[in-house]
C-alpha cells in the first residue's frame, strides 16, 4: 500500500508471498511453520497483513441497522404470546366473519408495537451515536515516516501508533517503547474492571529506543501470538526481531479501553482490532432474567386464553342450536354460510371465529407496555434517586441496571453474600504479626470485642496512642517501632520479615519520594497495607524500575542510621488463585541471592524445609489465634539461593516464559522447582472491619423472614467469628459444623492415597449430613427448639454437592436460619446458589463485590453488586448496584415491597377491568341468539384500554404505597407477605374474577332492564346504541372508581388520572357523536350522547348502577379488613393518626464543583415536600411522597363514610390540622 512503511519479519530478502504464507517461528535460524491456532502479525506492513484479512477496528454495539430494524424489531415483539395473539385477532378482524371493524383490534396493536419499537429505536440510536463517537476518535499512526492523526476505525492490525498521556488505547497493542527511560508506562484499567489503581507495563528492552518516527520506521518485526480470546489477564506471544525471539506476556499488552497515565506517550503495534479486542470479546450480555411474577403472569394469560376459548365454544354451540327456520322473521337463508340453518356445524365454526374477535379485549394488550413503563420509572426515578441508598463518602448512588426484576426484590427468601468487601469494608489495616514465634500487636479487633460480648468475658481494650495513624496501618506495639526491634531476641528474623514486606510485592509508588507524601498503587488493599507496614517499621519502599526496587532502611546497621538500598529484581513469580502465593527473586547489593515468598498458610507450610518444629507449631497457633479474631493472615518465608542453582533454574524459567503453548502451566511447574525448602519468617494479620450498619441490617432482614448465607474463601474460624460479629449467628442457635479439618481426615491425607481420601471424605460427609439432618428434624419437631445454623467448608461442600448427597444437603440447609460456607471457590458459590434456586424453587439474591462473585451473582434470581474496593466486575454483572450492604434494607424492604405490591395490583386490575368489559358483551350475546352482534361501537372497544382506563393504572403502579418507608423498616415482618406471594395467588385472581362477573351482570342487566321503559325527549324508546352507550359510560365510571377503592394512598395524581379518564370519555363521545363521518358504522352513534343526557334516566342510572356494582366490593373490603386483615392493614390502623413525612429523594450528583458532602446537602435541599397521611382505609389514604420535584404538601379531606365508621372506634381525637409551615427536608 503506497505511503505506508513496509517492513517484514525475517529480513532475509525472501519474496513477500513466501514469507507471509509460511507463518513463521524462528528456531536455530530456520523458518518453521507456525502451529494452528496462532496468528502472525507483520509490524508496520499493511500489504503483508492484508492477505490474512484481519478484522477492522470499527466497532458496533447496536442491535439493529437500517435494513434489519423493522423485521428484527417486529420479530422481537411477536415473540410475546399476547402480541402474537392480537396479530391473529387483527387478521381475523379483516375477514368477513368479524363483527367488528378491523380498526378495533389493529389500532391498539399498532399503538403497542409503535411504542415498543420507538423505545427500541431510541435505545439503539443512543448506542449508534456512542459507537460513532468512539470510531471517529483519532490516534497518531506512523505513516510516511511521520505521525499522522487517523480515526480509530481506520486502524489495521500491524499499524504502529503513538498514544499520548491520558489518551485511551484504540486497540490491543504490543507495547514497544515509552518516553520513560526504563521502558515502562503506567496504565489505568478503570474502564475494563473498575480498578483505579495504576498498573505497570514494561516494553521489551530490545525496543526501548523506538520512540522517534525515524527510529521506529526502521522497525522490522513479526509478532506471533495466540488467537483473539476474552481472557483479560493472560496473553502468550513472541516478538521476533532480526531472528531474535522476545517473549511477550500480559506485561507487554496494552488493552483497548485502558488509558495511559504518568507517561508522556508510548509507541505500540496493533495486534487485535475491533471486535477481536479482549474488551469487546468480554462485552457479552448478562444472562436474561425474568421475574417470577412475570412467569406467573404468563400462566394467567394462558388461563384467560382458556376462558376465551370456553366462552367462544359455548357461543358457537349456542349459535348452532339457535339457527332454525322457525325464526322465519329473521330471514335465515343460504346466502350467508354463517346463517344457513342447513349447515349448523359450519355456522358453529364460523361463529367461533366471530366470537374470538368480539371477545378479544379479555386479553389486555396494553398490560406488558404499561408494566414495562411502570418498572422503568420505578428504577430510574425511585431506586436510582433514593437518598437513603446514596453513599456520601464515595459519592455513589444506587443503580438499577435492569428494570425487569423490581418486584422480584419484594419476594426474596434467600440471600447469598460474599464476606470480604460485602459484609466488611475491604479497607485493610495491618493489625498484628508473628515473627520468629513471637506475637506483636496489642490491639483488639472488632471480632474479639464481639466474641467477648457473646461469652461475657472482659476484654482489656488498651488505648491507642494519640499519634495519627496512616491509612492501612493500625498496629501498636513499641517493641517493633522506631528501631526497637533491634533489642528483640530475634532481630535477624525481624529484619528478614520487614524486607520481605518491602520487596515481595507488585506495588507502584507515586508522588514525592518521602514517607509523608508518597502514594502506593496496589493490586489489592492487602498488598498496600503490607508495604505501608514496612514503611512504618523503617523499611521505606520509595522507587521501582522494571529491574530494581529501592528501599530506605532505618536502624539496620545501627540505631538512627538511614541508608538507601537498591535490590535487583530478577524474577517475579506472580500470585494467582491456583498458586495462592507470590515470590520474588532478588539480588542484594553484595551479590546475595534471596527468594522471598508470601502466601496462604496451607501453601507455605507444604513448602517449608525440615527442622525448627517449635517455630512451625507456635506460628500455626498464632495463625489460628488471628483467625479466631477475624483477621486475614499470610505466611512469610525466604530462601537463600546459590548462584549456580539459580542460573540453572532461570534457564528453565526463560524457556517456560517463551512458550507459546500452556505458558501459565509451565511457569507454575518451574516455580514449584524453586519454591521449596523455604525458611519460615512469620505471619501477618490484617483486619478488615465490618461495614457500617451490617449487624443491624442482617437482624432486620432476618426478622423479615429472609435467610442469609455467607459464602467466603476465608478460614472457618474467621468466617464463624464474622458471622457472630454481624449477628448472623448467636449463642442461642444450634450449630452444625461439617469440617474437613479433623484428625481422622488428616490421618488419611498423610497416607497420600487420593482415591482412598476421596472415598473416605465422601463417606464422612454423608454420615455427618445424615446425623445433622436427623438431629435437625428432632429440634424442628419440638415446640421450643432453637434456631439452627450450618457451617461447612469447601472440601466437604465439594462432596456434599454430589448428586447422591445434594438432596440431603438441601433439606438440612433449608431448615437452617443461617448457613456459612467457608474456603469455597467461585464455582462452588454458584453451585450453592443454583442448588437453592432450582432445587428448592425459592427466590434468591446474591450480593458480592469482586470478580470471584460474578458467577454467583448471575446464578441467582437477583444479582446485587457492591461498588467497592475490588473494581466493578461484580457491578457490571449485576442487576442492581449499591455502595454498602446496609442499603439492602431499603432496596428490599422498601422498594422491593412497594414494587411487588404495585405490580400485583396493576396486573390484577388489568385482569379485572378487561374481564368486566368483555363479560358485558358476553351477556349481550345471549340476547342475540349467539349471532356475534356487537354491543359496543368499534371505537369504544378500541379506546377502552388505550385511553379511557390507561393512565389511572399507571399512576397506581407508581404511587400506591401501603405503609411509609419508615414503617416498612420498623415492621420488617411485613415483607413476609411478598415471600408468601400473598397478593398474586390464584385465590386473589379468583376473587377479582368473581367481582368482575358480578359487576358485569349488574352493569349489563341493570342498564338493559332500566332502559326497556325509558324514553327520550321525543317520546321514543331507547335503541341498541343508546343502551350500549349508557352501559359503556357506566363501565368506565365503575372500573375507574374501583381503582380508587383499591388504593392505599390517594394523591392528586390519582384524582387527575381517574377524573381525566372519565372526562376523556365524555369529550370523545361528545365529539364522536356530534359530527358526521363518512363511515356508515358511525351513523349508529350519531347524536346518541346528546339524546341520553337530555333525560333524567341518564343521570339516575349513572349514579345508581356504579354504586350497585361496587357495593359488594365495598362490603367485601370492609369485612376483609375487619375480620381477616393483612399485616400491612394492621400497621396502617396502628399509625393511622400519624403524618407520613417520608419522601423519595431526587438525588443530584455529578456536580464536579461539589464535594460529596456538599452534593448530599444539595440533594437533600432538592427533595420534594409533599406530605401524606395514612388512615389505613381504602377510600381514605391521602398522599404519597411524589417523585416530582417541588410539590407542595396537601391533605385530602375526610370522607363522610369513614368518619362515621371510626366515630365509635376512636380512642383519642385527631390532632387538628395546622397550617403547613416551612420545614427542613430530612431523611426518613
Amino acid at each position: 500500500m503506497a505511503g505506508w512503511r513496509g517492513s517484514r519479519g525475517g529480513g532475509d530478502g525472501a519474496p513477500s508471498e513466501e514469507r507471509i504464507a509460511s507463518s513463521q517461528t524462528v528456531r536455530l535460524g530456520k523458518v518453521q511453520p507456525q502451529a494452528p491456532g496462532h496468528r502472525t502479525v507483520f509490524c508496520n506492513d499493511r500489504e503483508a497483513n492484508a492477505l490474512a484479512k484481519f478484522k477492522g477496528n470499527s466497532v458496533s454495539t447496536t442491535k439493529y441497522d437500517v435494513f434489519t430494524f423493522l423485521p428484527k424489531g417486529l420479530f422481537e415483539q411477536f415473540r410475546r404470546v399476547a402480541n402474537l395473539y392480537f396479530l391473529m385477532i387483527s387478521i381475523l378482524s379483516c375477514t368477513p366473519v368479524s363483527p367488528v371493524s378491523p380498526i378495533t383490534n389493529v389500532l391498539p396493536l399498532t399503538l403497542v408495537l409503535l411504542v415498543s419499537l420507538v423505545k427500541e429505536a431510541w435505545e439503539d440510536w443512543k448506542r449508534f451515536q456512542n459507537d460513532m463517537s468512539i470510531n471517529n476518535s483519532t490516534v497518531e499512526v506512523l505513516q510516511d515516516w511521520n505521525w499522522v492523526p487517523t480515526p480509530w476505525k481506520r486502524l489495521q492490525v500491524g499499524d504502529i501508533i503513538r498514544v499520548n498521556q491520558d489518551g485511551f488505547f484504540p486497540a490491543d497493542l504490543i507495547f514497544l517503547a515509552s518516553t520513560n527511560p526504563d521502558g515502562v508506562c503506567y496504565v489505568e484499567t478503570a474502564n475494563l474492571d473498575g480498578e483505579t489503581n495504576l498498573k505497570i507495563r514494561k516494553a521489551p528492552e530490545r525496543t526501548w529506543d523506538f520512540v522517534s518516527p525515524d527510529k521506529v520506521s526502521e522497525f522490522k518485526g513479526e509478532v506471533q501470538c495466540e488467537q483473539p480470546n476474552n481472557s483479560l489477564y493472560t496473553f502468550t506471544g513472541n516478538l521476533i526481531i532480526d531472528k531474535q525471539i522476545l517473549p511477550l506476556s500480559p506485561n507487554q499488552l496494552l488493552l483497548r479501553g485502558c488509558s495511559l497515565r504518568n507517561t508522556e506517550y508510548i509507541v505500540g503495534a496493533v495486534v487485535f482490532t475491533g471486535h477481536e479486542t479482549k474488551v469487546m470479546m468480554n462485552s457479552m450480555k448478562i444472562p436474561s432474567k425474568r421475574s417470577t411474577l412475570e412467569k406467573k403472569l404468563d400462566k394467567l394469560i394462558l388461563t384467560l386464553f382458556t376462558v376465551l376459548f370456553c366462552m367462544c365454544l359455548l357461543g358457537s354451540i349456542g349459535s348452532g342450536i339457535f339457527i332454525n327456520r322457525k325464526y322465519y322473521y329473521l330471514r335465515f337463508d343460504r346466502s350467508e354460510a354463517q346463517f344457513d340453518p342447513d349447515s349448523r356445524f359450519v355456522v358453529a365454526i364460523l361463529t367461533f371465529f366471530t366470537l374470538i374477535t368480539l371477545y378479544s379485549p379479555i386479553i389486555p394488550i396494553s398490560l406488558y407496555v404499561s408494566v414495562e413503563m411502570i418498572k422503568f420509572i420505578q428504577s430510574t426515578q425511585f431506586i436510582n434517586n433514593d437518598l437513603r441508598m446514596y453513599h456520601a463518602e464515595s459519592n455513589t448512588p444506587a443503580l438499577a441496571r435492569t428494570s425487569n426484576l423490581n418486584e422480584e426484590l419484594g419476594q426474596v427468601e434467600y440471600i447469598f453474600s460474599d464476606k470480604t468487601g460485602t459484609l466488611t469494608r475491604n479497607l485493610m489495616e495491618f493489625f498484628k504479626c508473628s515473627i520468629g514465634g513471637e506475637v506483636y500487636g496489642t490491639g483488639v479487633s472488632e471480632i474479639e470485642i464481639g466474641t467477648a460480648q457473646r461469652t461475657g468475658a472482659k476484654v482489656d481494650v488498651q488505648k491507642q496512642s494519640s499519634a495519627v495513624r496512616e491509612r492501612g496501618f493500625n498496629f501498636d506495639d513499641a517493641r517493633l517501632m522506631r528501631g526497637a526491634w533491634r533489642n528483640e531476641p530475634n532481630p535477624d528474623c525481624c529484619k528478614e520479615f520487614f524486607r520481605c514486606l518491602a520487596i515481595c510485592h507488585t506495588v507502584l509508588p507515586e508522588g514525592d519520594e518521602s514517607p509523608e507524601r508518597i502514594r502506593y498503587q496496589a493490586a489489592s488493599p492487602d498488598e498496600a497495607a503490607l508495604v505501608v507496614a514496612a514503611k512504618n517499621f523503617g523499611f521505606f519502599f520509595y522507587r521501582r524500575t522494571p529491574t530494581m526496587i529501592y528501599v530506605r532502611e532505618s536502624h539496620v546497621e545501627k540505631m538512627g542510621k538511614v541508608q538507601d538500598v537498591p535490590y535487583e529484581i530478577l524474577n517475579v513469580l506472580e500470585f494467582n488463585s491456583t498458586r495462592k502465593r507470590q515470590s520474588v527473586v532478588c539480588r542484594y547489593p553484595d551479590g546475595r541471592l534471596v527468594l522471598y515468598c508470601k502466601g496462604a498458610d496451607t501453601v507455605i507450610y507444604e513448602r517449608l524445609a525440615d527442622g525448627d518444629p517449635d517455630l512451625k507449631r507456635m506460628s500455626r497457633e498464632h495463625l489460628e489465634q488471628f483467625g479466631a479474631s477475624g483477621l486475614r493472615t499470610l505466611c512469610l518465608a525466604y530462601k537463600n539461593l546459590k548462584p549456580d542453582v539459580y542460573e540453572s533454574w532461570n534457564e528453565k524459567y526463560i524457556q517456560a516464559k517463551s512458550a507459546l503453548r500452556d505458558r501459565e502451566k509451565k511457569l507454575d511447574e518451574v516455580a514449584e522447582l524453586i519454591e521449596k525448602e523455604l525458611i519460615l519468617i512469620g505471619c501477618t494479620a490484617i483486619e478488615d472491619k465490618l461495614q457500617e450498619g451490617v449487624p443491624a441490617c442482617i437482624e432486620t432482614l432476618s426478622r423479615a423472614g429472609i435467610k442469609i448465607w455467607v459464602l467466603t474463601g476465608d478460614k472457618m474460624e474467621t468466617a464463624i467469628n464474622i458471622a457472630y460479629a454481624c449477628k448472623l449467628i448467636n449463642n442461642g442457635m444450634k450449630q452444625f459444623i461439617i469440617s474437613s479439618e479433623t484428625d481422622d481426615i488428616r490421618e488419611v491425607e498423610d497416607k497420600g492415597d487420593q482415591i482412598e481420601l476421596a472415598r473416605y471424605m465422601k463417606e464422612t460427609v454423608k454420615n455427618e449430613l445424615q446425623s445433622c439432618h436427623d438431629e435437625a428434624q428432632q429440634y424442628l419437631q419440638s415446640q421450643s427448639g432453637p434456631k439452627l445454623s450450618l457451617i461447612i467448608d469447601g472440601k466437604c461442600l465439594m462432596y456434599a454437592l454430589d448428586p447422591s448427597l445434594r438432596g440431603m444437603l438441601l433439606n438440612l440447609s433449608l431448615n437452617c436460619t443461617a448457613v456459612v460456607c467457608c474456603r469455597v471457590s467461585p464455582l462452588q458459590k454458584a453451585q450453592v446458589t443454583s442448588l437453592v434456586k432450582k432445587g428448592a424453587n425459592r427466590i434468591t439474591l446474591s450480593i458480592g463485590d469482586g470478580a470471584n462473585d460474578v458467577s454467583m451473582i448471575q446464578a441467582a434470581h437477583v444479582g446485587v453488586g457492591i461498588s467497592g474496593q475490588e473494581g466493578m466486575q461484580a457491578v457490571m454483572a449485576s442487576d442492581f448496584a449499591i455502595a454498602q450492604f446496609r442499603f439492602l434494607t431499603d432496596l428490599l424492604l422498601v422498594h422491593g415491597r412497594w414494587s411487588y405490591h404495585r405490580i400485583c395490583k396493576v396486573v390484577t386490575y388489568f385482569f379485572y377491568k378487561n374481564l368486566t368489559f368483555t363479560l358485558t358483551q358476553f351477556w349481550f350475546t345471549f340476547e342475540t341468539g349467539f349471532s356475534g352482534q356487537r354491543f359496543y361501537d368499534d371505537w369504544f372497544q378500541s379506546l377502552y384500554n388505550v385511553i379511557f382506563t390507561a393512565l389511572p393504572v399507571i399512576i397506581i403502579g407508581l404511587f400506591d404505597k401501603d405503609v411509609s418507608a419508615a414503617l416498612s423498616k420498623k415492621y420488617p415482618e411485613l415483607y413476609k407477605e411478598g415471600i408468601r406471594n400473598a397478593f398474586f395467588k390464584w385465590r386473589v385472581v379468583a376473587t377479582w374474577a368473581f367481582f368482575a362477573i358480578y359487576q358485569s351482570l349488574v352493569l349489563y342487566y341493570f342498564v338493559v332492564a332500566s332502559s326497556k321503559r325509558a324514553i327520550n325527549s321525543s317520546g321514543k324508546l331507547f335503541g341498541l346504541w343508546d343502551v350500549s352507550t349508557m352501559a359503556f359510560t357506566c363501565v368506565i365510571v365503575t372500573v375507574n372508581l374501583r381503582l380508587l377503592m383499591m388504593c392505599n394512598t390517594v394523591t392528586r395524581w390519582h384524582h387527575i388520572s381517574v377524573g381525566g379518564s372519565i372526562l376523556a370519555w365524555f369529550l370523545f363521545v361528545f365529539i364522536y357523536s356530534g359530527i358526521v363521518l363518512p363511515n356508515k358504522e358511525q351513523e349508529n352513534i350519531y347524536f346518541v350522547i346528546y339524546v341520553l343526557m337530555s333525560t333524567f334516566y341518564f343521570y339516575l342510572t349513572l349514579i345508581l348502577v356504579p354504586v350497585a356494582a361496587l357495593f359488594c366490593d365495598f362490603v367485601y373490603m370492609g369485612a376483609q379488613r375487619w375480620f381477616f386483615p393483612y399485616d400491612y392493614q394492621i400497621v396502617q390502623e396502628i399509625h393511622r393518626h400519624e403524618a407520613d413525612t417520608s419522601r423519595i429523594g431526587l438525588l443530584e450528583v455529578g456536580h464536579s464543583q461539589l464535594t460529596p458532602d456538599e452534593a448530599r446537602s444539595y440533594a437533600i435541599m432538592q427533595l420534594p415536600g409533599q406530605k401524606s397521611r395514612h388512615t389505613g382505609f381504602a377510600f381514605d389514604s391521602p398522599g404519597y411522597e411524589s417523585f416530582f420535584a417541588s410539590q407542595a404538601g396537601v391533605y385530602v379531606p375526610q370522607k363522610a363514610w369513614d368518619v362515621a365508621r371510626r366515630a365509635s372506634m376512636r380512642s383519642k381525637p385527631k390532632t387538628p390540622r395546622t397550617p403547613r409551615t416551612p420545614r427542613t427536608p430530612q431523611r426518613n
Side-chain angles (χ1 to χ4, degrees), residues 737-738 763-773 812:
I737 299 179
I738 303 177
E763 190 65 30
T764 303
V765 170
K766 179 181 179 181
N767 295 336
E768 288 284 340
L769 282 174
Q770 188 64 56
S771 172
C772 294
H773 184 267
L812 173 61

Side-chain angles (χ1 to χ4, degrees), residues 911-944:
F911 168 72
Y912 147 79
K913 73 183 181 71
N914 282 54
L915 187 60
T916 301
F917 174 70
T918 307
L919 285 175
T920 56
Q921 175 70 63
F922 181 65
W923 306 135
F924 179 66
T925 306
F926 286 88
E927 305 278 343
T928 62
F930 307 99
S931 63
Q933 166 65 37
R934 57 197 171 96
F935 186 44
Y936 300 114
D937 181 79
D938 292 347
W939 280 98
F940 294 2
Q941 183 169 322
S942 298
L943 300 180
Y944 176 75

Side-chain angles (χ1 to χ4, degrees), residues 354-404:
T354 298
L355 294 179
I356 282 182
T357 59
L358 195 62
Y359 300 152
S360 62
I362 195 173
I363 309 293
I365 186 172
S366 57
L367 172 60
Y368 287 107
V369 174
S370 300
V371 168
E372 279 187 7
M373 188 184 305
I374 290 167
K375 288 182 178 182
F376 178 76
I377 296 175
Q378 285 175 349
S379 298
T380 57
Q381 298 300 327
F382 296 163
I383 295 177
N384 291 0
N385 290 341
D386 189 356
L387 189 61
R388 302 181 194 91
M389 295 191 292
Y390 170 57
H391 191 231
E393 186 178 330
S394 61
N395 199 16
T396 307
L399 175 65
R401 290 172 50 82
T402 178
S403 59
N404 294 338

Side-chain angles (χ1 to χ4, degrees), residues 591-642:
R592 177 189 173 199
L593 290 174
V594 181
L595 178 140
Y596 286 110
C597 183
K598 66 181 181 187
D601 53 340
T602 53
V603 174
I604 299 297
Y605 264 74
E606 290 174 356
R607 289 161 176 79
L608 293 180
D610 295 334
D612 212 346
D614 292 338
L615 175 61
K616 295 176 184 176
R617 177 182 53 78
M618 293 175 66
S619 296
R620 186 175 286 280
E621 290 175 0
H622 296 160
L623 284 165
E624 293 174 357
Q625 177 185 328
F626 295 154
S629 301
L631 304 176
R632 297 163 62 88
T633 59
L634 279 178
C635 279
L636 275 57
Y638 77 102
K639 176 183 181 181
N640 289 310
L641 300 175
K642 295 179 180 179

Side-chain angles (χ1 to χ4, degrees), residues 817-834:
T817 306
V819 176
V820 178
C821 301
C822 43
R823 293 288 198 189
V824 291
S825 66
L827 177 60
Q828 286 178 318
K829 290 183 178 183
Q831 288 175 330
V832 170
T833 305
S834 298

Side-chain angles (χ1 to χ4, degrees), residues 42-75:
F42 299 99
C43 298
N44 203 15
D45 190 345
R46 284 196 168 187
E47 291 179 359
N49 292 318
L51 297 180
K53 296 182 180 179
F54 296 123
K55 288 189 177 180
N57 199 44
S58 178
V59 298
S60 173
T61 59
T62 58
K63 285 177 65 177
Y64 313 102
D65 58 32
V66 176
F67 301 104
T68 63
F69 173 70
L70 206 56
K72 193 173 179 181
L74 289 174
F75 172 75

